[in-house]
Amino acid sequence: MALSLNSFLPHTHHSSLLKPLSSSKPTPIFLSKYPLFSFNHVLPKSNYTRCHAVTDIGNFASSSPSLDQEGEDHKVLLGPSTEQERKGERVVADYDWTEEWYPLYLTKDLPDDAPLGLTIFDQQVVLYKDGNGVLHCYQDRCPHRLAKLSEGQLVDGRLECLYHGWQFDGEGKCVRIPQLPADAKIPRTACTKTYEVRESQGVVWVWMSQRTPPNHNKLPWFENFARPGFQDTSTTHELPYDHSILLENLMDPAHIPISHDRTDWTAKREDAQPLLFEVTERTDRGFAGWWGREKDGSMPNFLRFEAPCVLQNNREIIDKNGEKHYFTGLFLCRPTGQGKSMLIVRFGGTLRSPLVKFFPEWYFHQNASKVFEQDMGFLSSQNEVLVKEKVPTKELYLNLRSSDTWVAEYRKWMDKVGHGMPYHFGHSTISLPKLPAVVEHAPAGLVAGVSASFPAKGGIGMMHAPNLANRYYRHVIHCKGCSSVVKSFRAWKNALSAIALVLTALAILASGRQWKTFLLASATLCLAGVYACSTAIAINTTNFIRTHRRL
């Protein structure tokens, strides 16, 4: 995914207005005091070694690097970044994955008249608006027979289970059971587990702990998005790989010129080059720092990663009139489950190019989908390797000083807090999932399936199939704008096809040559419109296919 703002913004000054990372700063706990096995960490196998290429020198073949080569490697590869790491110690921070706010959805894309089924680390929740427009979030499970409430419907502002019609109010209490006798009371245990939700800056967040009250100080706030005149383009995407793979990819500016070559006006493979990095903050909540291109000799981009999975890349420019403008690439990731994630992408600034207004919003959305599809193949395979190898990334990655600083920082942060997650892949430790991945195959009912209007619903045909390799399922059903555009193009396509058919029939029946010509020309124009609508539908719903070209 193209993270960098560097490619299309001029030089900027370092910001003094960026929000610092919050940290509870617990007492450091070192390995000598804290047994790793208590965290279910899998340590590297003692006989696991990194492979080296065999080099032929005359008749001699060696699979081990020379001392000189080893020294050269250390000059380009990332080494220990902290004093504790140099001493072989690892700091462990207090962390509980449930005591965090996770991004659920863009407010503008929430359905007004249907529940929405979502997951966080395979924990299923249902989000909906009641009759007064107030948001509520439950465990996505009816207490009667465990049916998914997200498959239900809203009746008078209450959420009704589609299995037996039990209805629940905003507090999760069951207020109606059609099968009960008139004189019977609803059991007190007929209720659902509820989660706290908050809407902030156009995003709905959920607090996943049911034991600890919500910590509102942890609710993210993005200063640039609150600035006067700030505008952004926001999209939502489901992706078929782990959230850690996704975040690692998003904080990797080095891949952009290669992976996204010629995707827009900025990414060009000949621009691949060494980068400069400077880590300025490390806390239990994440890290931050500056980066830029080595040839420029400056680091104008400010990157911040903050728990649980929020990443922003900020830049400031001062125009010729001395006015300061702010730009942000914001990535809000939700770990939906093993090998899958959901991402809210928000690119914006206080200054926009005048060319933007000439392009419809869906154009930028399909371009964002194309960028993810360019990364999807190798990120999915990377995910598979991590799961199969069962060793930390330290034993698998060759992290370069000139490109992979943020990746190494992120994996080391996972070492620090991974014990508080359901599973993690760290730099020097891993904790594998204890339960098999959840795979759902069945779509919803026939009518819901045909409409395929909401993420919980399946469908008939390949376009609507609940498949994360499908752009329609990954993005379009999560975006009101793109869904509306696709439906409109389909309606126009059907209407123009019908008109073209009628005009052709009239041309056959017409006796005058001029009328025949006019009717056939009109039918041709309609067919051209049908083709244009079909192309627009394909642009919004068809995956990008990379074609290998000879360079």
Side-chain angles (χ1 to χ4, degrees):
M1 173 64 189
L3 162 66
S4 173
L5 298 177
N6 188 58
S7 54
F8 56 89
L9 294 176
H11 181 74
T12 181
H13 299 281
H14 290 195
S15 170
S16 60
L17 299 174
L18 294 163
K19 179 183 174 183
L21 288 167
S22 57
S23 175
S24 56
K25 299 186 184 303
T27 304
I29 304 173
F30 297 98
L31 290 181
S32 57
K33 304 176 185 177
Y34 222 106
L36 279 175
F37 58 81
S38 65
F39 291 138
N40 193 37
H41 286 150
V42 180
L43 292 176
K45 301 173 185 176
S46 58
N47 62 347
Y48 193 93
T49 57
R50 189 186 298 281
C51 296
H52 300 283
V54 176
T55 304
D56 291 323
I57 304 176
N59 295 323
F60 175 76
S62 171
S63 61
S64 300
S66 66
L67 292 176
D68 289 342
Q69 181 60 49
E70 222 169 30
E72 288 300 314
D73 284 353
H74 285 302
K75 290 181 182 178
V76 298
L77 299 178
L78 278 169
S81 54
T82 63
E83 187 62 30
Q84 287 89 353
E85 192 180 349
R86 278 186 281 273
K87 292 179 180 178
E89 301 170 332
R90 183 173 62 85
V91 178
V92 177
D94 287 339
Y95 191 80
D96 183 339
W97 76 271
T98 66
E99 296 178 3
E100 300 287 350
W101 292 95
Y102 291 86
L104 281 180
Y105 228 62
L106 285 168
T107 307
K108 67 181 179 67
D109 289 329
L110 283 173
D112 296 315
D113 56 357
L116 189 64
L118 303 166
T119 59
I120 303 96
F121 278 123
D122 283 322
Q123 299 291 315
Q124 296 177 333
V125 300
V126 56
L127 179 69
Y128 77 97
K129 292 180 183 178
D130 65 16
N132 298 316
V134 178
L135 289 170
H136 300 284
C137 187
Y138 309 155
Q139 184 182 31
D140 195 4
R141 179 192 297 177
C142 180
H144 178 212
R145 297 261 289 279
L146 310 183
K148 292 180 71 171
L149 292 171
S150 58
E151 298 288 354
Q153 55 196 354
L154 297 180
V155 179
D156 298 327
R158 299 186 299 271
L159 182 54
E160 180 183 86
C161 177
L162 206 57
Y163 199 178
H164 293 92
W166 291 29
Q167 293 182 1
F168 301 87
D169 66 10
E171 301 300 319
K173 293 180 181 178
C174 184
V175 294
R176 184 172 186 269
I177 299 179
Q179 295 79 18
L180 275 182
D183 58 346
K185 291 186 177 180
I186 295 174
R188 293 179 60 186
T189 52
C191 59
T192 65
K193 294 180 180 179
T194 60
Y195 296 94
E196 190 79 15
V197 288
R198 287 285 183 274
E199 195 276 338
S200 177
Q201 294 182 298
V203 176
V204 178
W205 301 80
V206 63
W207 178 262
M208 285 303 294
S209 177
Q210 293 178 316
R211 302 186 307 272
T212 308
N215 183 343
H216 296 288
N217 291 327
K218 286 186 175 181
L219 186 65
W221 177 261
F222 308 105
E223 192 164 359
N224 280 355
F225 282 76
R227 297 185 188 279
F230 192 93
Q231 300 179 65
D232 72 288
T233 298
S234 301
T235 60
T236 302
H237 307 266
E238 281 197 273
L239 298 163
Y241 39 84
D242 188 73
H243 77 283
S244 66
I245 298 287
L246 171 60
L247 284 166
E248 183 184 276
N249 172 248
L250 294 171
M251 60 180 68
D252 174 21
H255 85 284
I256 295 170
I258 303 296
S259 302
H260 308 304
D261 181 26
R262 268 71 183 180
T263 297
D264 53 24
W265 303 285
T266 58
K268 298 178 181 177
R269 69 185 321 275
E270 54 267 29
D271 289 338
Q273 59 190 279
L275 303 173
L276 297 173
F277 301 90
E278 181 187 355
V279 181
T280 56
E281 298 178 40
R282 287 190 185 97
T283 77
D284 296 339
R285 302 286 300 160
F287 58 89
W290 298 89
W291 69 274
R293 297 185 297 187
E294 185 181 72
K295 74 174 185 179
D296 295 337
S298 64
M299 294 181 285
N301 305 287
F302 187 81
L303 177 139
R304 181 183 298 285
F305 167 75
E306 188 163 7
C309 34
V310 173
L311 180 69
Q312 55 181 313
N313 200 48
N314 296 328
R315 191 164 181 182
E316 300 174 7
I317 65 169
I318 299 177
D319 63 21
K320 59 184 179 181
N321 299 320
E323 186 177 357
K324 186 179 287 188
H325 300 282
Y326 303 88
F327 300 88
T328 294
L330 177 63
F331 304 93
L332 308 176
C333 177
R334 172 158 47 84
T336 53
Q338 296 175 45
K340 52 187 178 179
S341 53
M342 177 172 270
L343 179 69
I344 294 174
V345 184
R346 308 188 74 180
F347 273 102
T350 53
L351 180 68
R352 304 190 87 183
S353 168
L355 294 175
V356 171
K357 62 184 179 182
F358 294 107
F359 293 89
E361 189 176 60
W362 61 263
Y363 170 82
F364 297 105
H365 287 210
Q366 65 84 27
N367 197 61
S369 294
K370 178 169 67 174
V371 169
F372 282 111
E373 287 153 10
Q374 290 172 335
D375 288 340
M376 195 178 301
F378 53 78
L379 294 184
S380 296
S381 64
Q382 183 183 350
N383 198 131
E384 291 175 8
V385 171
L386 284 179
V387 173
K388 289 178 181 177
E389 293 287 347
K390 297 181 175 61
V391 295
T393 60
K394 174 184 176 182
E395 305 296 333
L396 297 170
Y397 289 6
L398 286 175
N399 286 328
L400 300 178
R401 296 177 185 272
S402 54
S403 62
D404 304 314
T405 295
W406 302 141
V407 172
E409 287 292 328
Y410 173 61
R411 293 298 179 181
K412 291 173 184 178
W413 176 80
M414 293 284 275
D415 284 341
K416 189 186 296 186
V417 304
H419 62 88
M421 297 181 180
Y423 52 86
H424 81 281
F425 303 92
H427 176 69
S428 57
T429 63
I430 64 170
S431 178
L432 298 174
K434 299 179 180 65
L435 300 173
V438 177
V439 179
E440 295 184 20
H441 297 286
L446 180 63
V447 175
V450 173
S451 64
S453 300
F454 302 108
K457 311 305 179 188
I460 296 174
M462 290 303 295
M463 181 181 290
H464 308 104
N467 180 355
L468 289 181
N470 183 320
R471 183 187 293 189
Y472 187 91
Y473 190 77
R474 284 199 326 273
H475 169 69
V476 176
I477 60 172
H478 296 292
C479 178
K480 279 187 176 179
C482 289
S483 295
S484 176
V485 163
V486 170
K487 289 176 183 176
S488 296
F489 278 126
R490 281 181 185 149
W492 276 103
K493 176 184 174 182
N494 293 337
L496 290 171
S497 298
I499 293 172
L501 185 61
V502 171
L503 290 173
T504 303
L506 291 174
I508 294 172
L509 296 174
S511 56
R513 180 177 295 178
Q514 289 181 335
W515 276 109
K516 281 184 179 289
T517 303
F518 172 75
L519 291 170
L520 288 174
S522 299
T524 302
L525 287 175
C526 287
L527 291 174
V530 170
Y531 176 78
C533 290
S534 298
T535 302
I537 293 169
I539 287 174
N540 281 279
T541 60
T542 304
N543 281 10
F544 166 84
I545 303 298
R546 188 186 299 277
T547 55
H548 293 277
R549 55 195 176 91
R550 191 180 299 277
L551 300 175

